[in-house]
Amino acid sequence: MLKYIKEILKVALPAVGEMVLYMLIWVFDTMMVGNYGGQLGVSAVALSSELLYTFINILMGMGLSIALTSIIARTMGNKNISLAQNYANQGIKIGILISFIVTSTFFIFAENILSAANAEKEILATSAAYMRICCSGMFFYMCANMLNGIFRGCKDTKTPLYGAVIMNIVNLSFDYLLIFGKFGFPELGIRGAAAATAGAQILYFLFIFSQRKKLPFKISLFEKINLREMKELIKLAVPSAMQEGAYSISRLLGVLMVMRLGSLSFSANQIAVTIESISFMPGWGFAIACTALVGHSIGGRNFRQAKNYANASAFISAVVMGFFSLIFLLFSEELISMFIKKDEIEVIKLGSMCLMIGAAQQIPMAVDMVLAGALKGSGDTKTPFNIAFICNWGIRLPLMFYFIYVKKMSITYFWIITVIQWFIESGILTYKYRKKFKKMIQKNML
């Protein structure tokens, strides 16, 4: 077990660091904007970011990128480097097209999208400006995510980490300079936060692209289209994207329901969500590492090793996220206070209550993320999607519709419902994972 833990940490820790750094940008953006513009500033940035990153994560972060990691890991584990190269080059073509469509849509239809999301009049113009400025870097950010999926499939999680470090340094430095107008820079407020994000994302892509020679094969945009390989990638990417969509879109609809409770509840909820998001970044990091390690093991026909990697990854992830549970329980009010003006006492109290409830879902969420990553590494992206769809659209959304939209209960009900959903989802996924891997191991022994 120590041998597996050592190998997992070698691959996972850079991925965990990368995920945490991504989230820190959102955290510090929210923190600085909250201290600059209060509730309205947080609401404007939170809504725009929620919409943008929901679709980016669905289509790229948890869609094409995970599909590339899974399929390249298995082909590399099978020592078929030329096939891995082919999949990478076909994936690049798909990724560029997706990135262009998403970015163009949000840039052109910013006001329409925000209006459809029930953005309040006082934040509509600011949210639209923030969204459009962010879009100037979003294309490059999505392309970098696609390339990261290729690196991870080759068990290189350090290069994406170094890119995230660069992006954080640039983004956070210019956040401070452009939001507050320090050291001779103009005071742009929320627009400054967007400009810092866009500039950092462009530099992030340039760094990742410059590291392509580290890969064990050559990537090229000009390799001819191979419909069979594209179809195989899409076959993996669509269920993975739909799994993220089942979660993210239901979460987004939940956020839109919360908006009906007023700016106090919305601000408290978004701050609590932002803080909690730091905790499940380690979960995503271990899930990504698990996908790569399980994929390599299955490519080499070592199914028992694949299961050991998955079990050890789930255990470590649960320990790390369990630690965050304690932090949320003990220091909830102090954490919320960092994101808002000190005199907004009601936001602080309500947000701290939400965060304390959210502490209960950390461990089941950790197990769910990693075991879903294990199934994806084995080439099964449908099972995680089916489970996520049932739990999010069959349990979470109906309960939220009744308690939040119809009854207009306290925002704390939103968090109680998500705790219930994560416990049920992780239980079902654990059962399916054990059943699948037991079957694979027994079949291989025959």
Side-chain angles (χ1 to χ4, degrees):
M1 183 58 69
L2 286 174
K3 173 189 150 188
Y4 288 116
I5 289 173
K6 185 178 178 181
E7 182 68 16
I8 289 163
L9 291 176
K10 182 181 175 182
V11 178
L13 286 181
V16 170
E18 181 196 353
M19 296 296 112
V20 170
L21 286 170
Y22 288 149
M23 190 49 56
L24 283 178
I25 291 178
W26 186 21
V27 168
F28 283 107
D29 263 359
T30 305
M31 189 183 294
M32 288 191 226
V33 167
N35 281 283
Y36 181 85
Q39 281 188 43
L40 291 179
V42 170
S43 297
V45 171
L47 182 59
S48 298
S49 297
E50 194 79 45
L51 290 164
L52 281 169
Y53 288 103
T54 291
F55 286 93
I56 289 169
N57 286 335
I58 290 170
L59 297 171
M60 189 63 72
M62 294 298 138
L64 181 61
S65 182
I66 289 293
L68 282 166
T69 298
S70 173
I71 205 163
I72 289 172
R74 279 181 280 125
T75 50
M76 291 294 290
N78 200 30
K79 311 297 183 188
N80 195 338
I81 296 175
S82 63
L83 183 58
Q85 176 179 315
N86 292 342
Y87 279 123
N89 289 326
Q90 299 307 317
I92 287 170
K93 295 178 178 63
I94 299 170
I96 289 174
L97 179 62
I98 291 172
S99 302
F100 178 76
I101 291 171
V102 171
T103 306
S104 301
T105 301
F106 276 99
F107 185 86
I108 295 167
F109 301 106
E111 282 94 350
N112 306 74
I113 293 168
L114 288 161
S115 296
N118 293 322
E120 296 175 355
K121 287 183 180 179
E122 56 262 38
I123 68 167
L124 181 59
T126 305
S127 296
Y130 180 88
M131 184 178 282
R132 284 206 171 97
I133 295 169
C134 283
C135 281
S136 60
M138 206 57 70
F139 172 83
F140 299 96
Y141 177 72
M142 293 182 73
C143 288
N145 263 282
M146 168 190 64
L147 293 174
N148 285 344
I150 297 170
F151 279 102
R152 292 175 192 133
C154 299
K155 292 208 287 191
D156 178 0
T157 51
K158 289 184 179 179
T159 298
L161 170 64
Y162 299 148
V165 170
I166 292 170
M167 184 167 65
N168 263 260
I169 292 170
V170 173
N171 196 341
L172 297 179
S173 298
F174 280 92
D175 263 347
Y176 179 70
L177 296 172
L178 294 175
I179 291 174
F180 302 103
K182 300 294 183 179
F183 300 105
F185 284 84
E187 184 181 332
L188 301 177
I190 292 170
R191 287 173 174 80
T197 298
Q201 289 172 342
I202 293 169
L203 287 175
Y204 172 52
F205 166 77
L206 292 174
F207 172 79
I208 297 296
F209 185 72
S210 72
Q211 301 300 301
R212 64 193 183 279
K213 290 183 180 178
K214 288 184 177 180
L215 293 168
F217 47 76
K218 185 179 180 181
I219 58 173
S220 171
L221 182 61
F222 304 106
E223 188 172 301
K224 66 179 182 179
I225 293 173
N226 185 313
L227 292 178
R228 185 188 65 80
E229 288 166 0
M230 277 193 171
K231 184 180 177 181
E232 187 69 22
L233 269 173
I234 292 168
K235 184 180 174 183
L236 276 175
V238 169
S240 185
M242 289 173 72
Q243 181 206 353
E244 177 62 20
Y247 170 66
S248 294
I249 294 175
S250 71
R251 185 189 65 194
L252 181 59
L253 291 173
V255 167
L256 299 182
M257 291 181 204
V258 170
M259 287 180 70
R260 291 175 59 87
L261 300 179
S263 61
L264 169 63
S265 292
F266 183 68
S267 296
N269 180 68
Q270 288 308 113
I271 292 171
V273 167
T274 300
I275 295 169
E276 192 210 22
S277 297
I278 300 171
S279 71
F280 61 71
M281 287 302 103
W284 283 128
F286 282 108
I288 287 168
C290 187
T291 299
L293 290 167
V294 167
H296 273 265
S297 298
I298 287 178
R301 308 296 295 173
N302 194 336
F303 298 104
R304 192 172 293 279
Q305 183 185 67
K307 183 180 179 182
N308 289 337
Y309 276 132
N311 289 343
S313 297
F315 173 75
I316 301 168
S317 183
V319 170
V320 173
M321 290 182 66
F323 171 76
F324 279 100
S325 292
L326 295 175
I327 298 295
F328 296 159
L329 285 170
L330 296 173
F331 304 105
S332 59
E333 200 163 309
E334 290 83 354
L335 289 168
I336 298 291
S337 299
M338 294 168 63
F339 288 78
I340 199 75
K341 293 177 178 178
K342 305 297 181 187
D343 58 351
E344 302 206 39
I345 298 168
E346 289 184 327
V347 176
I348 294 170
K349 284 186 176 179
L350 192 56
S352 64
M353 288 174 64
C354 294
L355 198 56
M356 289 177 75
I357 296 168
Q361 66 194 27
Q362 300 306 304
I363 292 176
M365 193 189 300
V367 172
D368 182 273
M369 288 175 175
V370 172
L371 297 187
L375 289 170
K376 290 172 186 175
S378 73
D380 179 5
T381 53
K382 289 183 180 179
T383 299
F385 159 66
N386 291 335
I387 296 169
F389 181 81
I390 291 167
C391 292
N392 280 276
W393 291 76
I395 299 171
R396 178 175 175 155
L397 268 182
L399 289 174
M400 285 187 179
F401 180 79
Y402 178 75
F403 286 103
I404 305 297
Y405 190 85
V406 178
K407 291 292 186 180
K408 292 185 172 58
M409 303 294 283
S410 167
I411 186 61
T412 53
Y413 279 76
F414 177 97
W415 288 77
I416 293 168
I417 291 165
T418 61
V419 169
I420 293 168
Q421 174 247 315
W422 278 115
F423 268 97
I424 295 172
E425 186 171 327
S426 65
I428 298 171
L429 194 62
T430 300
Y431 169 76
K432 289 289 187 181
Y433 153 76
R434 286 177 175 171
K435 186 177 179 182
K436 182 179 179 67
F437 275 71
K438 183 179 179 181
K439 186 177 179 181
M440 283 195 301
I441 292 168
Q442 289 176 341
K443 187 177 180 182
N444 190 50
M445 291 171 67
L446 296 175

